[in-house]
Amino acid sequence: MATIGFIGIGNMGTGMAHNLVKAGHEVTVFDLDTEKAKGIEGAQVAASSGEAVKGAEVVLSMLPAGPVVASVYRETIFANATPGTLLIDCSTIDVATARILAAEAQGHGLTMLDAPVSGGVAGADAGTLAFMVGGSADGFTRAEPILNVMGTKVVHCGDAGAGQGTKICNNMMLAIQMISVAEGFALAEKLGLDPQKLFDVSSAASGQCWSLTTYCPMPGVGPTTSADNGYAPGFAAGLMHKDLGLAMEAAEASGADVAFGRAAFDAYDAMVEAGEAGVDFSGIIRGKRGVSYQP
Ligand code: NAD
């Protein structure tokens, strides 16, 4: 069993830290919000992130965004972690920052991996996350048993930044597919078609995709989803907007043609501008159907 410092006990970090404690690891947690940190039964609560990582064999972080991750690592973790410690950042951040931090960690005698996740809060609570890991093969081998406690799929995607790169490519595909399904149902509605018939055909035909069969944005059709619950998140439009912004940055830096990804970014930008950042990302269909974003 490992001694683990865990920083960032938010929506995702809570379930992940719980699962590590349940598996018998010795976990010390820190969050700026002390009440959240105190919610992890069986974990020690540290007074700072520096204290949480002192003496830890493994450090995990689940923080909101790149600038926060960079400042926490540079200001506290690098200075307080024992050389040889394995650092695993599970936050979704930009590829460039992930690569720079991994190089800086190496300069401190530390191994750092980027390991963003897919699966949402339900996956974090149930221990069924998918981890996309970037970094050295040796670091991955050390991380695998820890990540397996919190997830059911752990993939080594390549060198530093490859986990973040994989995550934003996946989420850009997801956003485009969700909008395509939303537009299909919006067009069907205008044509006076029965949405259930469209679902029955497309879910077994070439329009089939996860956004249709598992996360259908049309209420009353297919499996029970966020659409049947007033578009409560799930995966909030604001988080999809953030991930698409990271994809657009990466596309600009690499010169990739992501015209449909750009259109998806613009669509989620409009949703966020309309004050709907907290609505599930499948709620994008309401704009397409001409139904107000407001429930
Ligand atoms: P969250 O806002 O609920 O949690 C982040 C936590 O970090 C908060 O509790 C906050 O108090 C804490 N924090 C912020 N700055 C800190 C600091 N300097 N030191 C210590 N703690 C600090 O966010 P979340 O939903 O748990 O998401 C975390 C990350 O996971 C994000 O990068 C997000 O994009 C990614 N993610 C989220 C989901 C999801 O469905 N929520 C799914 C996949 C990936």
Side-chain angles (χ1 to χ4, degrees):
M1 288 300 130
T3 309
I4 298 174
F6 200 122
I7 298 164
I9 305 296
N11 292 326
M12 297 292 289
T14 296
M16 293 165 74
H18 265 303
N19 286 329
L20 290 168
V21 171
K22 256 199 294 185
H25 293 291
E26 206 177 294
V27 183
T28 301
V29 297
F30 175 72
D31 194 289
L32 288 180
D33 182 336
T34 313
E35 289 310 305
K36 288 185 187 169
K38 282 184 186 161
I40 309 298
E41 206 181 320
Q44 310 256 27
V45 179
S48 66
S49 45
E51 190 186 306
V53 308
K54 267 192 189 138
E57 294 159 273
V58 178
V59 171
L60 283 145
S61 54
M62 197 50 165
L63 295 162
V68 180
V69 171
S71 79
V72 168
Y73 275 83
R74 285 181 180 140
E75 287 160 28
T76 63
I77 297 179
F78 291 156
N80 287 285
T82 312
T85 301
L86 178 64
L87 313 176
I88 311 174
D89 179 41
C90 299
S91 328
T92 303
I93 69 168
D94 59 289
V95 174
T97 300
R99 286 183 176 154
I100 291 166
L101 289 176
E104 290 177 12
Q106 209 173 9
H108 287 84
L110 302 160
T111 300
M112 183 163 179
L113 305 176
D114 49 294
V117 305
S118 171
V121 176
D125 291 346
T128 56
L129 292 170
F131 286 89
M132 296 152 262
V133 186
S136 67
D138 174 55
F140 179 74
T141 304
R142 289 170 64 196
E144 220 178 351
I146 305 282
L147 300 181
N148 275 328
V149 169
M150 300 177 285
T152 45
K153 192 162 183 69
V154 180
V155 179
H156 188 206
C157 298
D159 293 338
Q164 297 296 351
T166 305
K167 163 89 183 169
I168 57 174
C169 291
N170 178 75
N171 279 21
M172 186 179 77
M173 292 191 275
L174 170 64
I176 295 168
Q177 284 176 353
M178 178 54 78
I179 293 171
S180 78
V181 173
E183 291 190 349
F185 278 104
L187 175 59
E189 195 167 43
K190 290 270 188 235
L191 295 174
L193 303 180
D194 178 346
Q196 184 61 50
K197 299 290 182 202
L198 174 62
F199 180 87
D200 292 346
V201 171
S202 290
S203 61
S206 46
Q208 190 275 337
C209 63
W210 185 88
S211 295
L212 175 66
T213 53
T214 305
Y215 214 94
C216 186
M218 189 70 178
V221 174
T224 303
T225 64
S226 171
D228 303 303
N229 190 20
Y231 296 97
F235 183 48
L239 286 178
M240 177 54 93
H241 180 253
K242 170 192 149 186
D243 292 356
L244 287 169
L246 296 175
M248 293 308 102
E249 268 176 39
E252 257 163 53
S254 63
D257 176 355
V258 291
F260 286 82
R262 167 68 56 190
F265 173 78
D266 291 343
Y268 281 101
D269 199 42
M271 195 169 164
V272 168
E273 282 296 308
E276 300 299 318
V279 170
D280 189 76
F281 84 114
S282 61
I284 195 94
I285 195 175
R286 290 195 283 190
K288 301 288 176 190
R289 295 175 67 208
V291 178
S292 158
Y293 279 133
Q294 303 299 334

